[in-house]
Amino acid sequence: SSRDNGATWSFVKTVANLPSDFVDDKLYAAHCTDSTCMIAGFYRNCSDISGDCLNPMLLTSKDEGQTWEYANTISGMPKNAKGWLTSLDCSGKTCVAGGLTYNGNGYSPTILTSNDAGNSWNFSDVGSANSIVNGRFDAISCFGNICAAAGFYNDTQSPLLMMSKDAGKSWSQV
């Protein structure tokens, strides 16, 4: 983390509240606003490299990246959900993370939304709600109440686009 606009950097040594089965992680996206920073990715809970070991992960810092905490509760997230998060953005207090989770039939595009600057998160099963199987989101962006999520269908490689006009509360396919 850096506290001087990137002139110098320090290594973060610990993260609070990591799951007891944590093996390692991969981080894909970061966003900072004022002194609050968030990072999205996944952690593995076994030494196997298969998707069966990958778990969505969000980390939050409230002190310019000096200390970090794992977001261990995501409201509505299926128990033992597998997958990862590859994108993250905030506009005001609205933060949205995108990626995929395994839904039993394939990988479903997934969006997590926070309306309190990352203090709490809600799972949006936009894949099942829109009958999308084998899709994922790799980019997400918000401005005001408008959010866009972009990715692709894993099986056809066709583009997958969704929009929200209410700060991530509801999503529709474009």
Side-chain angles (χ1 to χ4, degrees):
S1 67
S2 174
R3 296 180 85 172
D4 56 9
N5 295 320
T8 60
W9 290 86
S10 62
F11 181 71
V12 175
K13 295 181 175 97
T14 60
V15 175
N17 297 338
L18 282 177
S20 60
D21 59 354
F22 179 91
V23 174
D24 64 13
D25 62 21
K26 187 173 253 187
L27 306 173
Y28 288 103
H31 182 86
C32 293
T33 303
D34 299 322
S35 62
T36 300
C37 295
M38 287 170 263
I39 296 175
F42 71 81
Y43 78 91
R44 286 188 315 137
N45 62 351
C46 65
S47 57
D48 187 0
I49 60 171
S50 75
D52 294 340
C53 295
L54 306 181
N55 302 275
M57 182 171 75
L58 288 163
L59 303 176
T60 303
S61 171
K62 302 287 185 181
D63 58 6
E64 299 174 339
Q66 299 308 297
T67 61
W68 292 87
E69 187 168 331
Y70 168 73
N72 57 3
T73 303
I74 299 170
S75 179
M77 178 78 96
K79 186 173 173 61
N80 300 319
K82 301 298 176 190
W84 58 86
L85 301 170
T86 55
S87 52
L88 174 69
D89 194 26
C90 297
S91 179
K93 291 190 177 280
T94 298
C95 297
V96 184
L100 58 86
T101 51
Y102 186 71
N103 64 12
N105 297 317
Y107 286 98
S108 180
T110 299
I111 294 175
L112 304 180
T113 305
S114 172
N115 295 111
D116 57 10
N119 289 315
S120 63
W121 291 89
N122 297 300
F123 173 79
S124 297
D125 191 1
V126 295
S128 294
N130 290 279
S131 301
I132 301 169
V133 177
N134 287 322
R136 63 187 280 174
F137 291 122
D138 288 320
I140 205 155
S141 181
C142 293
F143 183 77
N145 287 333
I146 308 296
C147 297
F152 61 93
Y153 292 91
N154 292 335
D155 50 356
T156 64
Q157 303 298 301
S158 299
L160 172 58
L161 303 170
M162 295 193 88
M163 297 289 299
S164 171
K165 296 180 182 179
D166 56 7
K169 292 178 183 75
S170 63
W171 293 84
S172 58
Q173 198 167 0
V174 177

